[in-house]
């Protein structure tokens, strides 16, 4: 088994889900290499080299890789990937954008959002918004898959792997990067936070989310949202937790004014402890909540903040 | 310009699925089926492009059993011009679907191909990206806004940190995110009109595609049930439980 892990990063920092993906890779075998493809991303390669038990880091530093365009990265991965038995990436938007493109170039089927590794060819993944878990056996020549980071521990970072530079360059003319609008926040990243507080339609408007931000700061928590809150324009879309948003599994998830639709539960029901605050005692969220409080969130959230 | 839209027949998104007692799959007998919600958004976007005078013809394609005709008719009622059903009983893998769609692209030569970003049954999120790879067209996955110019398209994509905008030369493949638009409802006259719109049925063999699937489902089981929790009466009790019982704060 030789396994290639595609690092998720922003050219400055290695994103944490990469560490969880390395743990999944080490469950397959011990020849694990990490590919860092980006522009002026030497720092990221150095961080990747510190990941424990990694054989080597491959660094592809070129302007064509700056914005992680699938067209360029996938051609690079498909070129070097032929020498590997498995190609893994975290199941964030970068991995979801690129890996199926890689799989098609290699003419192999792909597995998305793997949550468990049974053997080098047998894996488990959720289907139907997490309402069923499928165990799938793959006879593909190269197993290409994205890994759900919340189901694997983060690898340690006390290693010292060698860094090898790659010369392959791909730079398509069919795609031009125009701009990026990233949400700014001092709070922990949603998918990596120990505590997540999410608001739903019950928040009534965007200003009321301030209550959750203040509470989040007391708990060093990230703030998430349901689709209803995003669609109503209360908060930006990158805060959405659910089947089509982010998957989180923190130690504590506090759902405030969220009914608990199937699609939302798909994104948070693996949290260790779930708290629901909702004035509707029939809300489905109470069926998965460890602690439920039937009350008006506008009275309860400030009280909670005072007590902490 | 010609727009090709792919739609999938899936279980209705409100249905709570049940795993079959023999753990071979989920039970789809007598379950309400519908167009995959993301595919509906793809159809709506194509129809809007036609209403703006950008698209001249919308071809909708579905791969699946004979009953998938219903989903094609729905798309025709929403404003698509004609349909193609690639009939197959065994549902192909995403790569198989992408290969079939590539064959349709070769025949139809659309300038823009719109798919949903994922199907809510398999939750794969693969087909559009695979089709882009096979056709060597640029891809705009997870699109929340599109703006078609003469020879290119600007696509705003939903990415983990926020939004990213790319300019793709045409022809291109895009996959629709939930926020791309709000799909319309089909009116009764349009549903009646849709019955007379052309719908071709083909097989994978007609398209010269041999399907293989290297992924074998060994077992399907329900997820671990969460223990039923308790209701607390006050905020004080909640904080006490979180501190002393669950020990998470």
């Amino acid at each position: 088994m030789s396994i290639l892990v595609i690092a998720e990063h922003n050219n400055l920092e290695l994103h944490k889900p990469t560490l969880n993906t390395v743990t999944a890779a080490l469950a397959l075998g011990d020849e694990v290499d990490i590919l860092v493809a980006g522009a002026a991303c030497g720092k990221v390669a150095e961080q990747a080299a510190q990941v424990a038990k990694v054989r080597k880091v491959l660094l592809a530093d070129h302007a064509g890789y700056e914005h992680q365009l699938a067209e360029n990265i996938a051609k690079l991965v498909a070129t070097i990937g032929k020498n590997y038995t498995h190609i893994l990436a975290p199941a964030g938007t970068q991995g979801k954008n690129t890996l199926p493109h890689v799989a098609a170039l290699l003419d192999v089927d792909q597995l998305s959002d793997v949550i468990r590794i049974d053997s080098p060819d047998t894996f488990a993944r959720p289907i139907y918004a997490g309402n069923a878990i499928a165990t799938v056996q793959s006879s593909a020549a190269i197993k290409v898959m994205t890994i759900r980071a919340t189901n694997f521990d983060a690898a340690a970072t006390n290693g010292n792997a060698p860094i090898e530079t790659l010369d392959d360059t791909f730079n398509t003319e069919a795609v031009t990067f125009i701009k990026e609008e990233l949400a700014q926040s001092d709070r922990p990243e949603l998918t990596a936070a120990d505590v997540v507080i999410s608001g739903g339609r019950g928040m009534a408007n965007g200003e009321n989310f301030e209550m959750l931000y203040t509470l989040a700061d007391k708990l060093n928590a990230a703030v998430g949202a349901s689709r209803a809150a995003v669609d109503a324009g209360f908060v930006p879309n990158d805060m959405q937790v659910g089947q089509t948003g982010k998957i989180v599994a923190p130690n504590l998830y506090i759902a405030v004014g969220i009914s608990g639709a199937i699609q939302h539960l798909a994104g948070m029901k693996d949290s260790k402890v779930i708290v629901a605050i909702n004035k509707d005692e029939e809300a489905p969220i109470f069926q998965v909540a460890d602690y439920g409080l039937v009350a008006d969130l506008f009275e309860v959230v400030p009280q909670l903040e005072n007590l902490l | 310009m010609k727009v090709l839209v792919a739609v999938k027949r899936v279980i209705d998104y409100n249905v709570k699925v049940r795993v079959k007692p023999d753990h071979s799959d989920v039970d789809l007998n007598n379950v309400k089926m519908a167009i995959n919600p993301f595919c509906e958004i793809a159809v709506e976007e194509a129809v809007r492009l036609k209403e703006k005078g950008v698209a001249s013809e919308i071809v909708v394609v579905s791969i699946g059993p004979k009953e998938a005709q219903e989903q094609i008719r729905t798309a025709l009622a929403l404003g698509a011009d004609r349909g193609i059903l690639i009939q197959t009983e065994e549902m192909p893998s995403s790569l198989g679907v992408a290969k079939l769609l590539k064959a349709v692209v070769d025949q139809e030569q659309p300038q823009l191909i719109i798919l949903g970003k994922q199907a809510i049954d398999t939750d794969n999120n693969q087909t559009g990206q695979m089709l882009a790879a096979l056709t060597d067209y640029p891809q705009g996955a997870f699109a929340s806004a599109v703006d078609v110019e003469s020879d290119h398209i600007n696509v705003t994509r939903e990415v983990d940190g926020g939004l990213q905008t790319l300019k793709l030369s045409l022809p291109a493949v895009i996959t629709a995110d939930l926020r791309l638009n709000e799909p319309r409802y089909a009116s009764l006259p349009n549903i009646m009109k849709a019955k007379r719109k052309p719908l071709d049925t083909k097989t994978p063999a007609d398209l010269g595609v041999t399907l293989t699937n290297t992924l074998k489902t060994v077992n399907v089981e329900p997820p671990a049930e969460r223990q039923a929790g308790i209701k607390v009466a006050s905020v004080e009790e909640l904080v006490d439980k979180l501190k002393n019982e669950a020990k998470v704060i």
Side-chain angles (χ1 to χ4, degrees), chain A residues 39-51:
Chain A
C41 59
K43 275 222 160 53
V44 178
E46 283 165 28
Q47 290 165 23
Q50 286 166 18
V51 180

Side-chain angles (χ1 to χ4, degrees), chain A residues 45-60:
Chain A
E46 283 165 28
Q47 290 165 23
Q50 286 166 18
V51 180
K53 296 183 188 156
V54 165
R55 184 171 65 175
K56 64 181 176 202
V57 172
L58 305 172
L59 171 62

Side-chain angles (χ1 to χ4, degrees), chain A residues 17-220:
Chain A
T18 311
L19 302 179
N20 308 74
T21 305
V22 168
T23 299
L26 289 165
L28 293 161
D30 48 14
E31 296 176 358
V32 175
D33 297 347
I34 301 182
L35 169 70
V36 174
C41 59
K43 275 222 160 53
V44 178
E46 283 165 28
Q47 290 165 23
Q50 286 166 18
V51 180
K53 296 183 188 156
V54 165
R55 184 171 65 175
K56 64 181 176 202
V57 172
L58 305 172
L59 171 62
D61 198 327
H62 184 264
Y65 306 134
E66 183 178 0
H67 302 291
Q68 299 292 322
L69 300 180
E71 292 77 4
N72 299 336
I73 304 267
K75 286 195 178 84
L76 170 70
V77 176
T79 305
I80 62 170
K82 291 189 181 80
N83 306 320
Y84 291 88
T85 56
H86 296 75
I87 302 175
L88 277 60
T93 49
Q94 286 182 11
K96 287 178 176 177
N97 193 40
T98 310
L99 271 223
H101 204 113
V102 171
L105 292 177
L106 291 171
D107 194 26
V108 293
D109 290 308
Q110 194 222 300
L111 285 144
S112 296
D113 258 318
V114 168
I115 58 168
R116 197 184 74 223
I117 291 170
D118 292 344
S119 77
D121 70 354
T122 308
F123 315 95
R125 58 177 305 267
I127 53 176
Y128 293 89
N131 287 298
I133 307 296
T135 304
V136 183
Q137 191 169 32
S138 167
S139 57
I142 301 172
K143 274 79 170 165
V144 177
M145 50 194 184
T146 57
I147 300 295
R148 182 171 288 188
T150 52
N151 285 75
F152 297 88
D153 293 334
T157 48
N158 55 355
N160 185 20
I163 298 174
E164 198 174 289
T165 307
L166 300 176
D167 295 327
D168 311 72
T169 54
F170 296 95
N171 200 354
T172 179
E173 287 179 0
V175 185
T176 318
F177 172 85
I178 305 283
K179 64 176 175 180
E180 209 155 46
E181 295 152 79
L182 301 182
Q184 299 299 326
S185 166
D186 297 332
R187 288 181 198 89
E189 212 269 308
L190 192 51
T191 55
D194 276 339
V195 180
V196 173
I197 304 171
S198 287
R201 197 192 305 274
M203 297 304 295
N205 61 48
E207 288 75 58
N208 290 335
F209 261 77
E210 284 300 331
M211 284 171 30
L212 299 191
Y213 296 141
T214 328
L215 181 59
D217 290 339
K218 290 231 157 153
L219 290 167
N220 190 31

Side-chain angles (χ1 to χ4, degrees), chain A residues 8 67 69-71 75 92-94 96-98 100-105 107-113 116 122 125-140 173-183 195 219 227 230-231 237-238 240 243-246 251-252 254 262-263 268-275 277 281 286-294 300 303-304 307-308, chain B residues 11 13-17 19 25-26 28 38 41 93-96 99 117-127 129-134 136-142 154 156-169 177-179 181-182 212-224 226-236 238-239 241-243 245-249:
Chain A
E8 184 189 300
H67 302 291
L69 300 180
E71 292 77 4
K75 286 195 178 84
T93 49
Q94 286 182 11
K96 287 178 176 177
N97 193 40
T98 310
H101 204 113
V102 171
L105 292 177
D107 194 26
V108 293
D109 290 308
Q110 194 222 300
L111 285 144
S112 296
D113 258 318
R116 197 184 74 223
T122 308
R125 58 177 305 267
I127 53 176
Y128 293 89
N131 287 298
I133 307 296
T135 304
V136 183
Q137 191 169 32
S138 167
S139 57
E173 287 179 0
V175 185
T176 318
F177 172 85
I178 305 283
K179 64 176 175 180
E180 209 155 46
E181 295 152 79
L182 301 182
V195 180
L219 290 167
R227 183 180 169 204
V230 173
D231 282 353
N237 63 278
D238 57 300
Q240 186 183 324
Q243 184 182 20
T244 62
K246 294 195 169 112
N251 279 327
L252 174 61
I254 306 177
I262 293 174
Q263 294 79 9
M268 46 62 83
K269 70 180 173 184
D270 291 330
S271 305
K272 196 159 152 246
V273 174
I274 297 174
V275 171
I277 298 173
E281 64 178 318
F286 287 118
Q287 292 163 22
V288 298
D290 298 279
Y291 302 106
L293 180 56
V294 182
V300 172
Q303 284 179 29
L304 187 55
L307 279 174
L308 294 170
Chain B
I11 192 165
Y13 73 97
N14 278 313
V15 175
K16 177 116 173 82
V17 296
V19 172
D25 203 347
V26 301
L28 294 180
F38 291 96
I41 293 166
S93 65
S94 297
L95 183 63
K99 285 180 178 177
K117 80 163 178 179
Q118 80 192 62
I120 60 160
D121 52 0
T122 54
D123 281 334
N124 275 332
N125 196 331
Q126 298 174 0
T127 306
Q129 295 88 316
M130 287 179 160
L131 179 61
L134 297 178
D136 202 21
Y137 294 167
Q139 80 183 37
F142 332 137
N154 288 333
T156 301
R157 306 179 52 231
E158 305 226 346
V159 295
D160 278 339
L163 298 170
Q164 179 193 60
T165 306
L166 301 177
K167 175 179 158 186
L168 312 179
S169 65
D177 214 313
L178 281 172
R179 270 165 290 276
N181 59 50
E182 188 79 40
T212 53
N213 189 346
T214 55
L215 303 178
K216 191 177 117 210
T217 301
V218 184
N219 178 46
V220 175
E221 58 198 326
R226 281 193 81 94
Q227 292 289 330
I230 57 160
K231 294 254 170 78
V232 293
S234 67
V235 179
E236 288 78 12
L238 176 63
V239 171
K241 294 275 186 199
L242 291 177
K243 273 191 178 147
E245 196 176 274
K247 298 187 171 40
V248 284
I249 56 171

